[in-house]
Amino acid sequence: MNHLIDILQLSTQEIDELVEKAKDIIANPEAYAHKCDGKILATLFFEPSTRTRLSFESAMLSLGGKTLGFSSASSSSAAKGESVADTVRTVSCYADIIAMRHPKEGAPLVASMRSEVPVINAGDGGHNHPTQTLTDLLTINREKGRFNDLTVGFCGDLKFGRTVHSLISALSRYTGIKFVLVSPEELKLPSYVKNEVIKKNNIPYEQTTDLESVMPELDILYMTRVQRERFFNEEDYLRLKDSYILTPEKLKNAKQDLCIMHPLPRVNEISVAVDDDPRACYFKQVRNGRYIRMALIMKMLGIE
Ligand code: CP
C-alpha cells in the first residue's frame, strides 16, 4: 500500500507523470469521469481548510467516486479523546482512500501506520503539504514550461509556511534552481530545511528582508501568509503580520513574465489590486489543485 506523507516520496519521474496526467485530465475531462466509480474518499480535517478539502472532494466527485468526512476535530470523536490511530483505523473500514489534515506535525504519518487504505497528508502543522506542492508544480509547469533554471523567491512566513518547506524540497531536485528567501528575522526558514535540503543539494540561495531589492531577478515569487494559528502570542503576530504587502508599485521592477504564486488563503500580503495583473497566478493554482488531485487519487488507487 502506498501513502503520500512527504513530497520526496515521489520521484521526479512520478511527479512528471502526475503533471502530464493532470494536463491530460484538463484537456479531456470526460475520459476520466468514471475512473473512480464505486470508490470512496474520506477527508479527515482536524484543522480548517477551504481549498484542500474541497478540491479533494471535487476531484473524487469528478472521477465518479463519492466522499465522506469531517471538517473539524470538534465534529468527530477526536473531541471525546479518540486517538488519530483509532480514528484512521475506523475510517479505513468505510473508505478506499483518506486525505488528512492535522495541526500536529507527523499526525498523518502516524495515521498511515494504522490505516488499511492509502493516506494522503493534506497538511500537518508547520511541516509539509505535499499536495499543495503538486499543485504548485503543475502551475509552474503550465506557466513556465519547465522546472529547471528558475530563480524562485519565497516571501513572508518561511518559518511556519509548510507549503514553502515542501516546495523547496521538491524544487531542490532540479538543475539551475536558485532560491531567494525573503522574511523578517523571526520568520526565517527553519535551519533543518536550509541545511538538510538547500545546503545539502548545493543550491545557491540568498536571504534578505528586502523584497523590492531582489524583485528584478525573480522568475517566480511565492508569497505566503503569516500563520497566525502557529504563533505562541498574539503580540508577535500583530507586529509581523503586515511585514510584506505586494502592491502594483512593488512590481514595477519585476520581470514581465514573473509568475506570482500564493497557496492561499491570503490575508493582507497581496493587495487585491495585483489580482488583475496577468502575472498573478494564485487563482490558477486553485484551479490546478483539483486536476492534480484527480491524477494523484487515480495513481494511489492504482487506476490507469
Ligand atoms: N492552500 C491551502 O492549503 O488552502 P486551505 O487551507 O484553504 O486548504
Side-chain angles (χ1 to χ4, degrees), residues 49-52 101 129 132 263-264:
S49 167
T50 296
R51 276 145 295 273
T52 310
R101 170 171 290 186
H129 194 344
Q132 179 64 46
L264 303 182

Side-chain angles (χ1 to χ4, degrees), residues 54-208:
L54 296 182
S55 66
F56 262 116
E57 294 188 1
S58 174
M60 189 48 135
L61 295 171
S62 302
L63 291 166
K66 293 186 167 57
T67 67
L68 51 80
F70 52 81
S71 58
S72 71
S74 62
S75 62
S76 77
S77 284
K80 302 175 203 160
E82 187 167 47
S83 68
V84 164
D86 285 359
T87 301
V88 157
R89 205 162 166 182
T90 299
V91 174
S92 62
C93 300
Y94 308 145
D96 301 290
I97 186 165
I98 293 171
M100 179 187 188
R101 170 171 290 186
H102 202 285
K104 287 213 173 107
E105 288 85 356
L109 176 63
V110 170
S112 71
M113 293 166 174
R114 293 291 173 175
S115 178
E116 291 169 23
V117 301
V119 173
I120 302 172
N121 178 5
D124 61 329
H127 187 219
N128 267 311
H129 194 344
T131 64
Q132 179 64 46
T133 301
L134 291 172
T135 300
D136 299 339
L137 291 171
L138 174 59
T139 305
I140 292 170
N141 181 281
R142 294 185 78 197
E143 297 303 313
K144 308 300 285 183
R146 65 186 193 279
F147 295 130
N148 297 317
D149 304 317
L150 293 167
T151 297
V152 185
F154 291 92
C155 176
D157 184 350
L158 310 191
K159 179 178 180 184
F160 296 118
R162 59 192 173 200
T163 64
V164 171
H165 307 159
S166 290
L167 186 55
I168 285 177
S169 292
L171 288 173
S172 291
R173 297 191 293 190
Y174 295 93
T175 58
I177 294 291
K178 178 182 174 185
F179 294 127
V180 181
L181 308 172
V182 187
S183 73
E185 277 298 315
E186 295 96 324
L187 298 178
K188 278 161 81 171
L189 193 72
S191 52
Y192 81 89
V193 182
K194 201 162 79 178
N195 295 334
E196 292 302 313
V197 183
I198 300 181
K199 287 188 178 170
K200 200 169 175 177
N201 288 294
N202 296 315
I203 311 282
Y205 74 97
E206 61 181 280
Q207 281 186 298
T208 177

Side-chain angles (χ1 to χ4, degrees), residues 21 31-37 39 62-65 298 303-304:
K21 180 69 78 181
Y32 294 88
H34 297 287
K35 290 286 187 187
C36 285
D37 281 356
K39 299 290 185 191
S62 302
L63 291 166
M298 286 174 53
I303 295 168
E304 274 309 311

